[in-house]
Amino acid sequence: MMEFFDFVVVGGGITGLSAAARLQAAGSVLLVTKEALAESNTSYAQGGIAVAMGGAEDVRLHLEDTLVAGDGLVDRAAATLLVEAGPPRVEELLGIGTEFDRDVEGQFERTREGAHSLSRILHAKGDATGREIARSLLEHVRTLSSVKLREWTTTVDLITRNGRIAGVTLLAPGATLTQVSAGTVLLASGGAGQIYSDTTNPAVATGDGIAMAYRAGAPLEDMEFYQFHPTAFAMQGAPRFLLSEALRGEGALLRNARGERFMPGVHPQAELAPRDVVARAITRESLAGPVYLDMRHVRQDLAVRFPGISAFLESFGLRLNRDLIPVRPAAHYLMGGIKTDLHGRTVLPGLYAAGEAACTGVHGANRLASNSLLEGLVFGVEAAQAMIQERCAALDLTEPEAAQPPDRSTLEDAAAIEAWIQQLRDLMWRDAGLLRSAQGLGRARATLVQMAETMPRGLTRRAIEARNLHTLATVMVASALGREESRGAHFRLDFPGRWEGPLHSVITYGELRFEV
Ligand code: SIN
């Protein structure tokens, strides 16, 4: 049976929840998540949310830091909106009960991370900032009667009718397919860390929204820019758990296998250099042996300041104040995504995107640390406001055409799908990771073409995710091959120099072009 909503939001992280909270006053909202609502990249964000709460000079410096970290590719208007709208959006979070850490006088505690010129990052419960923001937003959204929450539901595809995105096809538990008609659809479905074998991202981060927008004809922008977080836990057999950049903000040093610091020789900001610089330096040092975070000299009680990280390390017999902690980079954040304007509008009428799924150009070639939660908050609300405006002008909704019947003939064996996905993830890590070349990228492209022949075709969540990962891997490799320069997170061993002018890559239906 067809369901009708004024707004459909795909994704339950900070972007989707903030958008839903704003949309609810203007109509009915359906918010869809693939797993339980709390399971998103937002909940895993540790270090904090970068926000300039100290007035005009603070805002100016935040803009400056964002532009510098983005290595010449940041869209200034997007970054200006981010830093200027950040403080009022964070005030709204405080209004719904988000509790950031404060000192004994009740002032916010602020930390620092890479490429920030001052300490401006708010955090919560030490290193559980994302979880606290998700908690407060969720509690708030649950009180809103016009928002319907649908968990454990995979969004299969967008429905197009008369040249307009008119709804979504959903796969509910028990393999039930349903169609939902929507005035407008917001993709707030996050990033795609699962495209790499080594990632800090949870299992849900398979880039579904980006892939379905691409299938529907939306251009994707700057897809070659994938950020690798410098310090994921690097013990054999252990998960690539994020070891927040805030550790370095609180004094952690990086040491190589000989026990020497190496960052002072690489960048004037040493351990607090931009993330792409630190990640590459660690990768190079790792060729000679393990690299460690060292906080043994730090006097504060780190189990109190970083309770989540400390509990994780404790389960491996390690303590921040006592031990060297092995680290190496892992895939963390996609700077590229569905091309949008500053208000989440894509080129497809009725389709909006915001947060990590979108590309406004706000991060350029390398995102400034802790700007991602702020991005979700600011651009989620911007998109919601634009959707409300559009809805006023376009209320003419009728039933979308029936979706194609699902192909249930090839429900592959689950183990075979996992093996296929793992092959793709290993391939991307090896040939389209931190250090790239035409040789590796060419190999990745050829292997992806071969893998298309054995692509899982069934209508299960994993088969759908496998196809989405393949779509995005293909786009990322094509974009990375096309960008014959090194900039920000995209480093070509065969093209270490940079193009004179900054150009964005844009890919639509396999056609790649570069534009200003
Ligand atoms: C971290 O805590 O290091 C992650 C913050 C971010 O990705 O910006």
Side-chain angles (χ1 to χ4, degrees), residues 46-47 113 229 242 244-246 275 332 367-372:
Q46 295 176 352
E113 293 180 20
H229 195 287
L242 177 66
S244 175
E245 200 153 317
R275 207 169 259 185
H332 187 61
R367 173 173 66 78
L368 182 68
S370 283
N371 263 359
S372 56

Side-chain angles (χ1 to χ4, degrees), residues 130-143:
R131 204 162 288 281
E132 168 60 11
I133 292 175
R135 176 204 63 76
S136 54
L137 272 170
L138 246 176
E139 278 178 17
H140 174 62
V141 167
R142 282 191 202 283
T143 65

